Amino acid sequence: MARLRVHAFTITLDGFGAGVDQRLDAPFGDGVEGLHDWMEPSFSRRRRGAELDHGDSRGTGVDDAAFRAGEENVGATIMGRNMFGPVRGAWPDESWRGWWGEDPPYHHDVFVLTHHARPSLPMDGGTTFHFLEATPEEVLARATEAAGGKDVRLGGGVATVRAFLAEGLVDELDLVVAPILAGAGERLFEGLRDLPAGYRVDALTPGESGVVHARVVRR
Amino acid sequence: MARLRVHAFTITLDGFGAGVDQRLDAPFGDGVEGLHDWMEPSFSRRRRGAELDHGDSRGTGVDDAAFRAGEENVGATIMGRNMFGPVRGAWPDESWRGWWGEDPPYHHDVFVLTHHARPSLPMDGGTTFHFLEATPEEVLARATEAAGGKDVRLGGGVATVRAFLAEGLVDELDLVVAPILAGAGERLFEGLRDLPAGYRVDALTPGESGVVHARVVRR
C-alpha cells in the first residue's frame, strides 16, 4: 500500500514553516533565514559526489539520513502552488517553470495544487508538473496511481501539508525543528485540533547541525 | 543585576503549554498528559534523598540539571493566577491556599498576578503568597526588591510567561519540548511577532527522557 510521506519539513522553535512576505528573492519569506541550513552539508556532499563522478554522496549522520530518506521509494510528489513558485493568482503566462531549472530533482510526476489550470509541463530528467484544482483526497488518488506502487511524497508549503494533515491523509511526517525564532508567518500546527486522535510523536532526535528531528506517525 | 528567568517550562511539539479545560483534577487541562513526565526522575530522586536523609538528590543528566537550574539563586517567584490554583473570577473565600500544601517548595515571596485582591498568605517554610493587580513591569519591580539581590523566577501559566515575553522582561527562557501533540490549548508563541528582535535560540539539547531542552536568551 502506497504511503503519503512528508520529509525534511522544517519549522522554527516557535512553530513557523515559512515567514512573512514569501516572494521570488525570499521563497520562504522573511524571518526564517537559516531555516534549511541543516541540509547544506547534504547538498554540498551531493554536488561534490557529482563533480567527482563517483556517486558517493552519502553522509553518516542523522541530518543527512533525514535528507536522503525523503528520496527513497518515492514515485510521485504533491506540492502546493506556493512551493512551485512565487506567482500568485492567475498565471500571467507560462514562463514560470518552477524554482529548480530545466532538470528538477524529482524525476517523476509532480502534482501542483492550484486554482488556476495550466497545461502539464514536461521537464528534463523525467519530471512532469501537473496542475490540478482538486481536493487533497483527489490529488492523492492521482499521485498514487502515477507512483506505480511506490510512495507519494508531500512537499509543501505549510498550508498544503496542513490541509493533508487535517484530512488524516499523511502517513508519516518527518519534521525538523530549527533553533530559530520567526515571530510570525505560516504556522504548521494551527487548527489541527483532532491531530492527536490520529497521530503521535514517535521520537525527537538531535541532528548534528543543532536542529532536532521529530517523527510524527499514525497511532 | 537581578535577572528574570523561566525554567522547565514545557510545551508540546505543536506548541501548547497547557491543554483545554484546566481544572482542579487536571491543572494543565486535557490533551497534555505526560507533559511533565521528564521531571519525574528528579522528583523521585529528591523524595528518596529526603527519606534517606542524606540530601543526595542530584542527578547527572541534562533533564535533572534543567530541573535543578530553576532553583538556583532564586529569591522570589512570579506566577499567574492560573498557576496558583483552579479558582477563576472572584475568590469565593480564602480556603484555596495553592496546589502545594502547607509548605510550598518556594521558601520565599511569591507574587501572584490576579484581578482579584486578597490578603497576603504566609505559609510554612518561608513562602508567602502576595496577590497583585499590576502590570508585568510593576510586579517585576516588587519581586526584584523582595529577591534581595538574587534572581526572580517566572513560573507560569502560559499567558503569564507570554505577557512578560511580550514586554521583553524575560532574561532567560529555558523551554522543554515534549514529544506530545495536544491539538489545542494555550500556545506559548502566539502574538509574539517582535520576539526575534530581542531574543534568539541559544541551543536545542536532548534530554534523557525523550524531551528536548531549548534555551532562549537575549540577543
Side-chain angles (χ1 to χ4, degrees):
Chain A
M1 182 64 189
R3 306 172 74 233
L4 182 63
R5 295 154 35 197
V6 181
H7 288 274
F9 193 88
T10 312
I11 60 175
T12 62
L13 179 62
D14 51 350
F16 298 99
V20 294
D21 192 15
Q22 296 170 56
R23 59 194 186 274
L24 185 58
D25 66 342
F28 286 87
D30 294 325
V32 292
E33 291 73 18
L35 190 65
H36 297 101
D37 282 1
W38 68 272
M39 294 181 185
E40 198 37 56
S42 296
F43 280 123
S44 158
R45 197 174 294 112
R46 176 161 302 180
R47 281 191 299 266
R48 247 176 10 243
E51 275 166 25
L52 299 176
D53 199 27
H54 57 30
D56 180 12
S57 65
R58 298 168 70 104
T60 54
V62 172
D63 287 342
D64 192 59
F67 177 84
R68 284 187 292 107
E71 298 172 342
E72 284 157 19
N73 194 40
V74 173
T77 294
I78 297 171
M79 64 176 65
R81 200 223 179 142
N82 292 2
M83 181 165 163
F84 178 69
V87 184
R88 302 289 185 267
W91 305 101
D93 53 48
E94 288 170 15
S95 62
W96 180 262
R97 298 165 65 83
W99 299 102
W100 305 274
E102 286 305 303
D103 183 7
Y106 299 102
H107 316 298
H108 53 227
D109 287 321
V110 176
F111 297 87
V112 181
L113 281 161
T114 168
H115 297 300
H116 301 275
R118 184 175 153 172
S120 288
L121 183 59
M123 308 290 289
D124 295 345
T127 299
T128 300
F129 293 110
H130 304 280
F131 302 88
L132 270 79
E133 179 164 14
T135 65
E137 214 160 35
E138 289 164 353
V139 73
L140 178 56
R142 281 284 305 272
T144 300
E145 199 188 330
K150 292 187 176 182
D151 289 344
V152 177
R153 181 171 178 179
L154 176 61
V158 183
T160 301
V161 174
R162 204 164 47 208
F164 282 78
L165 279 174
E167 301 283 328
L169 297 173
V170 176
D171 291 297
E172 181 187 329
L173 170 61
D174 279 14
L175 267 187
V176 179
V177 181
I180 291 173
L181 297 170
E186 274 193 272
R187 204 188 277 289
L188 176 61
F189 294 112
E190 182 84 61
L192 294 175
R193 175 175 282 261
D194 297 331
L195 196 67
Y199 296 89
R200 64 181 174 83
V201 183
D202 184 51
L204 301 179
T205 310
E208 293 77 26
S209 63
V211 302
V212 168
H213 298 265
R215 213 175 129 85
V216 177
V217 296
R218 288 193 187 279
R219 276 190 186 281
Chain B
M1 183 62 189
R3 305 172 74 233
L4 182 63
R5 295 154 36 197
V6 180
H7 288 274
F9 193 87
T10 312
I11 61 176
T12 62
L13 178 63
D14 52 349
F16 298 100
V20 294
D21 193 15
Q22 295 171 55
R23 60 193 186 275
L24 185 57
D25 66 342
F28 285 87
D30 294 326
V32 292
E33 291 73 17
L35 191 63
H36 297 101
D37 281 2
W38 68 273
M39 295 182 185
E40 197 39 53
S42 296
F43 280 124
S44 159
R45 197 174 294 112
R46 177 161 300 180
R47 281 191 299 266
R48 243 170 18 238
E51 274 166 25
L52 300 175
D53 198 27
H54 58 30
D56 180 14
S57 65
R58 298 167 71 105
T60 54
V62 171
D63 287 341
D64 192 59
F67 177 85
R68 286 187 289 107
E71 299 172 341
E72 284 157 19
N73 194 39
V74 174
T77 294
I78 297 171
M79 64 176 65
R81 198 221 181 145
N82 293 2
M83 181 165 162
F84 179 68
V87 184
R88 303 289 184 265
W91 305 100
D93 53 48
E94 289 171 14
S95 62
W96 180 262
R97 298 164 65 83
W99 299 102
W100 305 275
E102 286 304 303
D103 183 7
Y106 299 102
H107 317 298
H108 52 229
D109 287 321
V110 176
F111 297 87
V112 181
L113 281 161
T114 167
H115 297 301
H116 301 275
R118 184 175 154 172
S120 288
L121 182 60
M123 307 291 287
D124 294 344
T127 299
T128 300
F129 292 110
H130 304 281
F131 302 88
L132 270 78
E133 179 164 14
T135 65
E137 214 160 34
E138 289 164 353
V139 74
L140 179 56
R142 280 284 305 274
T144 300
E145 199 188 330
K150 291 187 175 179
D151 289 344
V152 177
R153 180 170 177 179
L154 177 60
V158 183
T160 302
V161 173
R162 203 164 46 208
F164 281 79
L165 280 174
E167 300 282 329
L169 297 173
V170 175
D171 291 297
E172 181 187 328
L173 170 62
D174 279 13
L175 268 187
V176 179
V177 181
I180 291 173
L181 297 170
E186 274 193 273
R187 205 188 277 286
L188 177 61
F189 294 113
E190 182 84 60
L192 294 175
R193 175 175 281 262
D194 296 332
L195 197 67
Y199 296 89
R200 65 182 174 81
V201 183
D202 183 49
L204 301 180
T205 310
E208 294 77 24
S209 63
V211 302
V212 168
H213 298 266
R215 217 175 127 86
V216 177
V217 297
R218 289 192 188 278
R219 277 192 184 279

